[in-house]
């Protein structure tokens, strides 16, 4: 039998030929022109129809190929398409079967690769050259894989035809010489021909595979060698840069008094503080910032060595700087030597406070689904479920400002107003350290709600907060200490939801008065921003400026809270400040972070002439002594991540106590239910309390309208418009323990404690307290 005219094609080639296709019982088999290309088998009536009309197409990727007899075979996709075909001879049929099986195998692979292409076709943004190399490698691997699959398919076919040939030969051996000998010999010849055709196809595939493998093997060897050489060069360059960076870092540390944890901006604020000279640039690129800002307004350099020689010289310099005689330094040694220092006194708590609360349940709720319709509104007007709260009220959060009350105790012992200013400034910064992980929203206090914090026997102070206004929300706070200081404030929150972030702007002033020196300090709070409202993990930032002013002496401390910046190389959450006297002369430089610690350095000399700042002006250069620690954050208790990141003090704030007022936050039922993990009941109770408050407010407004004359209504409106906080008037509510006066120091209307609470507690007389729960 002669060799077939058309060899078995490679899988990527187009295979064409005539076949007979079954049409119907009337016409039977009809001659059609079939074309196999790209895994699709199409047929036409004539070759001319290929230009304009296709009679049908079947996808081989999901098709089933079955052989009926020596010339007939069937192709079906398992649905409505089924082709009954017949070749002119068994050899021709086998040629088609081989071509169809190869095409089916390739189509199946292509479909699988198409399904997985989403993971393999990510564009490389590093450069076009890298992308083209990756694309070339992927294309080559796919081609080689295709050839391997072709070899596997051919191997199966060879095994199949080889078995058939072996059977025919066995039958030939058992046949005696006679009339059927020629027929058997003809069958053996045909099967041998089929086997030879398949073997040729396999040999061609092997040859193509070997050619590709040899060609690309040399190219890959060159590319791999080039990559290795480039990697070696990059490693050498990186090593040189690291050495240069370390050298510059050491030089910079030798030229500044900033602590090592701040002089190296690459070190994360949570990481350990390296010793001078340590190689600590390994995590240099681990932080990302969103804006590059020139937040450092001044430069510090070591003071002249003559300032470090003796204590007598330092005393003389202090006098030259206009400091009081007998000024005590701020180091820990002088504080420890003071018999009246709080550090030298052993305080024994009268009761054991709790150290744990129930773990936070794992409730999932989409914040965006609730807040998307509240963009631009006041936070207090957004109905929020307890799922986004923490089991504390805003009054309790306000009391947390006293977390580091020891700073005010130390300030009360200072003889110098400038040193006292350093402690007061550190106290203003320390109040933000508890907020770094506290992304939960505190409960909005009900009008008339109170919270007392009595720590006289443990810490020497006690404080009282009251919600004095609900629209706008405002709370008054008064704290007094047996160590000689008083703290009072009225804070009204102005908050806006901007979509991606939430801004909370506290309004109002904070006052701190020291009894012994009669120094009166005031300052305001900075803006708190909650990021990633829509997507991502919530995180909090503090930014803005604070001016702490001593109204008696004119001393001032200007603190700057640097906003978090992705592109800044400076330390995150950085705070810097300068303490100046009434003449504007700098005496201390403060530096640190609002979530970790604050340090101070005494200024020996200052001058202009540093590098230009962002505004083009020259920075001030301060020559300072070695930095010392003012304040350091106390570590959170164990398991704090499961307890809303509460500090040791915060864990005790909602602890039940006897004798407190019936309006105390500890007795608020929805807050108590949330702390116990019963959030569904807490949400129901929260809605009840809010509706009760709205009902009481409407009734109070109706009574006020009936009682007020037209002239009185006008006076009320005028007083509201004149008040910067507008507190205590829009609700027509008179607070229980605070009265609204004009502050003699700032001239602002504010609520000041009028007394009577602690006396009522001693007597157990709460008859005048409203029923708010």
């Amino acid at each position: 039998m002669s060799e077939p005219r058309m060899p078995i094609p490679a899988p990527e080639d187009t295979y064409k030929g005539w076949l007979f296709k079954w049409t119907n019982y009337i016409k039977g088999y009809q001659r059609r022109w079939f074309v196999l290309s790209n895994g699709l088998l199409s047929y036409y009536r004539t070759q001319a129809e290929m230009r304009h009309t296709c009679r049908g197409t079947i996808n081989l990727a999901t098709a089933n190929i079955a052989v009926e007899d020596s010339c007939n075979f069937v192709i079906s996709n398992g649905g409505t398409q089924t082709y009954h075909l017949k070749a002119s001879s068994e050899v021709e049929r086998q040629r088609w079967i081989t071509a169809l099986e190869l095409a089916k195998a390739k189509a199946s692979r292509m479909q699988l690769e198409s399904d997985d292409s989403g993971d393999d076709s990510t564009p490389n943004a590093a450069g076009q050259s890298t992308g083209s190399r990756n694309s070339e490698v992927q294309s080559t691997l796919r081609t080689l894989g295709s050839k391997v699959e072709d070899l596997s398919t051919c191997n199966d076919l060879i095994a199949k035809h080889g078995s058939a040939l072996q059977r025919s030969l066995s039958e030939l051996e058992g046949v005696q010489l006679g009339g059927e000998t020629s027929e058997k010999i003809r069958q053996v010849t045909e099967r041998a021909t089929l086997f030879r055709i398949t073997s040729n196809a396999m040999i061609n595939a092997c040859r193509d595979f070997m050619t590709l493998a040899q060609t690309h093997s040399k190219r890959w060897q060159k590319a791999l060698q080039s990559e290795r050489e480039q990697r070696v060069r990059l490693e050498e360059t990186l090593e040189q840069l690291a050495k240069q960076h370390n050298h510059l870092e050491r030089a910079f540390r030798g030229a500044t008094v900033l602590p090592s944890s701040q002089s190296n901006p690459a070190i994360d604020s949570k990481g350990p503080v390296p010793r001078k000279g340590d190689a600590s640039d390994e995590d240099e690129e681990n932080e990302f910032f969103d804006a590059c800002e020139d937040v450092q307004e001044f430069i510090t350099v070591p003071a002249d060595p003559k300032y470090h020689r003796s204590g007598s010289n330092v005393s003389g310099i202090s006098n030259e700087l206009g400091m009081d005689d007998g000024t005590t330094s701020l180091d820990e040694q002088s504080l420890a030597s003071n018999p009246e220092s709080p550090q030298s006194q052993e305080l024994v708590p009268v009761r054991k406070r709790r150290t744990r609360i129930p773990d936070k349940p794992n409730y999932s709720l989409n914040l965006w689904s609730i807040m998307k319709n509240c963009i631009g509104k006041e936070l207090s007007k957004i109905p929020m479920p307890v799922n986004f709260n923490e089991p504390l009220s805003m009054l309790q959060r306000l009391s947390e400002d006293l977390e580091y009350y020891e700073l005010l105790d130390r300030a009360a012992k200072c003889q110098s107003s400038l040193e006292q200013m350093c402690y007061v400034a550190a106290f203003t910064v320390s109040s933000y350290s508890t907020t770094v992980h506290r992304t939960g929203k505190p409960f909005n206090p009900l009008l008339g709600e109170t919270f007392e914090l009595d720590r006289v026997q443990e810490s020497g102070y006690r404080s009282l907060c009251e919600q004095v206004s609900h629209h706008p929300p405002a709370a008054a706070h008064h704290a007094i200490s047996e160590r000689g200081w008083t703290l009072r404030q009225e804070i009204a929150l102005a908050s806006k939801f901007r979509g991606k972030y939430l801004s909370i702007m506290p309004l109002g002033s904070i006052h701190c008065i020291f009894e012994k020196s009669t120094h009166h300090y005031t300052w305001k709070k900075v803006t708190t921003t909650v990021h990633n409202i829509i997507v991502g993990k919530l995180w909090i930032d503090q930014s803005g400026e604070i001016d702490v002013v001593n109204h008696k002496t004119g001393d001032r401390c200007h603190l700057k809270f640097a906003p978090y910046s992705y592109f800044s190389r400076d330390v995150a959450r950085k705070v810097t400040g300068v303490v100046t006297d009434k003449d504007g002369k700098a005496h201390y430089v403060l530096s640190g972070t609002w979530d970790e610690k604050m340090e101070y350095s005494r200024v020996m000399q200052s001058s202009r002439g540093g590098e230009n700042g962002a505004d083009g002006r020259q920075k001030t250069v301060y020559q300072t002594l070695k930095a010392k620690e003012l304040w350091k954050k106390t570590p959170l208790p164990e398991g704090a991540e499961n307890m809303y990141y509460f500090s040791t003090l915060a864990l005790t704030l909602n602890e039940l106590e006897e004798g407190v007022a019936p309006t105390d936050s500890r007795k608020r039922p929805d807050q108590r239910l949330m702390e116990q993990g019963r959030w569904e009941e807490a949400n129901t109770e929260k809605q009840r309390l809010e509706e009760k408050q709205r009902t009481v407010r409407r009734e109070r407004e109706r009574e006020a309208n009936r009682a007020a004359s037209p002239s009185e209504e006008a006076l009320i409106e005028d007083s509201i418009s004149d008040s910067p906080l507008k507190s205590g008037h829009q609700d027509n509510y008179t607070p229980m323990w605070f009265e609204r006066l004009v502050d003699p120091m700032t001239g602002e209307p504010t609520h000041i404690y009028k007394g009577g609470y602690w006396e009522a507690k001693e007597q157990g007389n709460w008859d005048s307290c409203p029923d708010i729960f």
Side-chain angles (χ1 to χ4, degrees):
M1 194 169 189
S2 61
E3 181 75 21
R5 293 172 296 174
M6 187 178 297
I8 297 297
E12 63 271 21
D13 296 338
T14 300
Y15 190 61
K16 305 174 184 179
W18 291 100
L19 288 173
F20 292 92
K21 180 180 178 296
W22 174 264
T23 56
N24 51 54
Y25 286 99
I26 299 176
K27 295 184 178 181
Y29 283 97
Q30 297 292 323
R31 194 167 181 258
R32 298 289 184 261
W33 180 255
F34 280 81
V35 177
L36 174 61
S37 178
N38 296 325
L40 300 176
L41 179 64
S42 305
Y43 74 93
Y44 311 85
R45 286 188 176 179
T46 62
Q47 296 181 9
E49 274 193 351
M50 291 179 60
R51 301 189 185 97
H52 52 81
T53 304
C54 179
R55 299 294 175 176
T57 302
I58 191 169
N59 188 354
L60 295 179
T62 57
N64 181 33
I65 304 174
V67 178
E68 291 186 335
D69 55 28
S70 59
C71 294
N72 294 3
F73 59 100
V74 180
I75 302 176
S76 175
N77 63 357
T80 58
Q81 289 181 302
T82 301
Y83 296 168
H84 294 268
L85 306 177
K86 182 170 65 174
S88 57
S89 65
E90 187 176 358
V91 175
E92 184 69 16
R93 183 213 66 182
Q94 192 58 42
R95 288 170 54 196
W96 274 102
I97 291 296
T98 303
L100 291 170
E101 288 178 342
L102 290 173
K104 177 183 177 180
K106 182 177 180 181
S108 299
R109 290 195 308 272
M110 292 179 63
Q111 185 177 22
L112 181 61
E113 292 175 358
S114 177
D115 293 338
D116 297 337
S117 61
D119 297 333
D120 299 333
S121 58
T122 303
N124 188 350
Q128 295 181 354
S129 60
T130 303
S132 61
R133 285 200 302 268
N134 289 342
S135 176
E136 180 182 358
V137 171
Q138 293 294 334
S139 176
T140 304
L141 291 177
R142 284 194 295 268
T143 303
L144 293 177
S146 175
K147 293 297 182 182
V148 171
E149 292 293 338
D150 293 343
L151 291 175
S152 177
T153 303
C154 291
N155 179 70
D156 295 338
L157 293 175
I158 288 175
K160 176 181 177 181
H161 298 315
S163 299
L165 179 60
Q166 186 64 39
R167 288 195 301 270
S168 298
L169 292 174
S170 298
E171 293 174 357
L172 182 60
E173 293 176 355
V175 174
Q176 297 179 357
L177 296 177
E180 61 182 23
T181 303
S182 59
E183 179 64 22
K184 292 295 182 180
I185 292 176
R186 187 185 65 81
Q187 293 181 5
V188 171
T189 304
E190 289 181 354
R191 295 184 184 278
T193 302
L194 293 175
F195 189 82
R196 186 172 63 251
I197 293 172
T198 306
S199 300
N200 290 337
M202 183 176 183
I203 293 172
N204 292 335
C206 290
R207 184 171 56 249
D208 294 339
F209 179 85
M210 293 302 297
T211 302
L212 280 172
Q214 291 175 356
T215 302
H216 290 284
S217 177
K218 296 179 181 179
R219 185 180 302 174
W220 288 342
Q221 289 292 337
K222 293 181 180 179
L224 180 60
Q225 184 63 27
S226 176
E227 292 292 339
R228 287 176 176 173
E229 294 174 356
Q230 185 177 5
R231 179 179 177 180
V232 172
R233 290 195 298 269
L234 288 175
E235 288 177 349
E236 293 174 352
T237 304
L238 183 60
E239 184 179 0
Q240 293 177 1
L241 290 175
K243 291 179 180 179
Q244 294 176 5
H245 179 274
N246 192 30
H247 176 74
L248 292 174
E249 185 179 74
R250 293 184 181 183
F252 176 74
R253 287 176 179 172
T256 180
V257 299
L258 289 179
S260 58
S261 61
Q262 297 184 30
S263 61
N264 183 5
I267 300 177
D268 185 78
S269 60
K270 303 297 181 186
V273 179
R275 297 188 306 272
K276 185 174 181 180
D278 286 353
S280 54
D281 57 341
E282 296 177 358
D283 297 330
E284 185 177 26
E285 300 299 333
N286 287 349
E287 292 187 13
F288 301 90
F289 308 88
D290 59 4
C292 186
E293 299 183 9
D294 186 12
V295 298
Q296 190 172 352
E297 297 180 337
F298 52 85
I299 302 173
T300 58
V301 296
D304 192 277
K306 67 180 180 180
Y307 297 129
H308 300 267
R309 290 174 185 170
S310 66
S312 59
N313 285 344
V314 173
S315 301
I317 294 165
S318 300
N319 293 332
E320 291 177 6
L321 293 175
M323 302 179 67
D324 299 337
D325 292 337
T327 296
T328 58
S329 64
L330 290 176
D331 57 22
E332 298 177 358
Q333 182 177 0
S334 63
L335 289 172
S337 63
N338 187 353
E340 297 181 356
S341 172
Q343 290 186 346
S344 62
Q345 300 176 5
E346 294 185 0
L347 300 176
V348 180
V350 296
R351 58 172 292 183
K352 185 177 180 180
R353 305 283 178 179
R354 68 180 184 180
T355 58
R356 288 198 61 85
I357 61 173
D359 288 351
K360 178 182 179 181
N362 186 19
Y363 283 91
S364 61
L365 191 63
N366 187 358
L367 179 62
W368 177 242
S369 64
I370 295 176
M371 302 188 70
K372 63 183 178 182
N373 298 322
C374 305
I375 297 178
K377 293 183 180 179
E378 286 283 348
L379 180 62
S380 59
K381 298 181 180 179
I382 300 177
M384 299 284 288
V386 300
N387 302 54
F388 300 118
N389 285 21
E390 62 180 16
L392 290 179
S393 73
M394 190 62 200
L395 302 180
Q396 292 165 316
R397 284 290 292 268
L398 200 59
S399 301
E400 281 192 71
D401 285 356
L402 299 171
E403 176 90 21
Y404 298 97
Y405 68 92
E406 299 96 338
L407 292 170
L408 296 182
D409 290 349
R410 298 176 189 175
K413 304 301 180 183
C414 290
Q415 300 179 16
S416 167
S417 63
L418 294 171
E419 293 180 357
Q420 190 177 71
M421 174 66 80
C422 292
Y423 280 115
V424 174
F427 175 79
T428 66
V429 176
S430 69
S431 62
Y432 297 99
S433 63
T434 60
T435 67
V436 63
H437 298 299
R438 301 274 288 279
T439 57
K441 174 182 174 292
F443 280 78
N444 289 331
L446 302 174
L447 188 60
E449 185 175 336
T450 61
F451 177 73
E452 70 162 72
L453 184 62
D454 191 349
R455 295 291 191 270
V456 172
Q457 296 185 6
E458 296 106 314
S459 306
Y461 73 88
R462 61 185 179 184
S463 77
L464 175 67
C465 292
E466 182 179 0
Q467 187 76 0
V468 296
S469 174
H470 188 67
H471 290 292
H477 180 209
H478 180 85
I480 186 169
S481 173
E482 295 179 345
R483 312 287 165 74
W485 55 264
T486 300
L487 184 75
R488 61 178 173 87
Q489 58 182 321
E490 179 181 352
I491 299 298
L493 297 179
S495 52
K496 290 291 185 179
F497 175 51
R498 306 295 184 182
K500 294 176 61 178
Y501 62 91
L502 179 70
S503 296
I504 303 172
M505 294 78 69
L507 306 176
S509 299
I510 305 173
H511 299 253
C512 184
I513 305 98
F514 292 96
E515 179 181 349
K516 182 178 179 180
S517 61
T518 67
H519 291 161
H520 191 139
Y521 295 86
T522 64
W523 66 91
K524 297 180 182 291
K525 289 181 175 288
V526 296
T527 299
T528 300
T529 306
V530 183
H531 294 270
N532 289 346
I533 296 294
I534 299 178
V535 64
K537 184 178 180 181
L538 295 177
W539 61 279
I540 291 178
D541 192 24
Q542 312 285 352
S543 60
E545 298 181 3
I546 295 178
D547 281 314
V548 184
V549 181
N550 186 338
H551 292 273
K552 179 180 178 180
T553 63
D555 300 338
R556 182 181 299 266
C557 178
H558 180 74
L559 293 171
K560 183 168 184 179
F561 289 65
Y564 190 83
S565 178
Y566 283 109
F567 297 104
S568 174
R569 299 304 301 273
D570 219 332
V571 64
R573 308 183 184 97
K574 183 178 182 180
V575 180
T576 56
V578 178
V579 176
T580 58
D581 57 22
K582 62 180 180 180
D583 299 323
K585 188 173 183 178
H587 291 265
Y588 291 99
V589 170
L590 305 182
S591 59
T593 59
W594 54 263
D595 66 324
E596 284 294 337
K597 64 179 179 179
M598 288 295 294
E599 297 178 333
Y600 75 99
S601 304
R602 177 174 294 180
V603 177
M604 296 291 101
Q605 188 175 351
S606 62
S607 62
R608 290 279 181 177
E611 60 183 65
N612 293 336
D615 55 0
R617 295 182 300 177
Q618 287 185 326
K619 294 182 180 180
T620 303
V621 179
Y622 295 119
Q623 294 186 21
T624 61
L625 297 180
K626 183 180 179 180
K628 296 181 181 180
E629 186 175 274
L630 269 174
W631 158 77
K632 186 175 182 179
K633 180 183 177 182
T634 303
L636 293 176
E638 184 179 357
E641 64 277 3
N642 299 322
M643 300 184 293
Y644 307 89
Y645 288 98
F646 281 178
S647 63
T648 303
L649 174 63
L651 289 174
T652 67
L653 293 180
N654 205 43
E655 186 176 9
L656 289 173
E657 291 190 13
E658 297 181 358
V660 298
T663 55
D664 196 273
S665 299
R666 299 176 180 89
K667 297 187 175 182
R668 182 165 175 167
D670 54 347
Q671 185 173 300
R672 181 66 57 188
L673 288 169
M674 184 198 174
E675 182 185 280
Q676 296 171 355
R678 300 155 63 182
W679 284 15
E680 294 183 1
E681 300 175 52
N683 276 315
T684 303
E685 192 65 19
K686 181 174 181 289
Q687 294 176 4
R688 182 189 68 81
L689 292 176
E690 291 173 348
E691 182 57 35
K692 180 180 179 179
Q693 181 175 237
R694 285 190 286 266
T695 302
V696 173
R697 183 188 179 196
R698 286 193 294 266
E699 181 62 27
R700 189 166 54 246
E701 290 175 347
R702 283 193 295 267
E703 292 178 359
N705 291 334
R706 287 194 298 265
S709 63
S711 59
E712 290 173 340
E713 291 179 358
L715 290 174
I716 291 176
E717 293 297 328
D718 291 341
S719 64
I720 292 176
S721 62
D722 291 340
S723 170
L725 295 178
K726 302 180 182 179
S727 57
H729 289 277
Q730 292 187 6
D731 295 302
N732 297 310
Y733 170 77
T734 302
M736 280 291 300
W737 313 110
F738 291 80
E739 59 181 343
R740 189 170 184 271
L741 302 171
V742 176
D743 190 280
M745 191 62 62
T746 62
E748 298 177 352
T750 186
H751 283 83
I752 299 178
Y753 178 62
K754 62 182 179 182
Y757 178 86
W758 304 107
E759 292 77 8
K761 181 181 180 181
E762 290 179 2
Q763 300 171 5
N765 182 14
W766 304 113
D767 295 339
S768 57
C769 291
D771 178 20
I772 61 175
F773 299 142

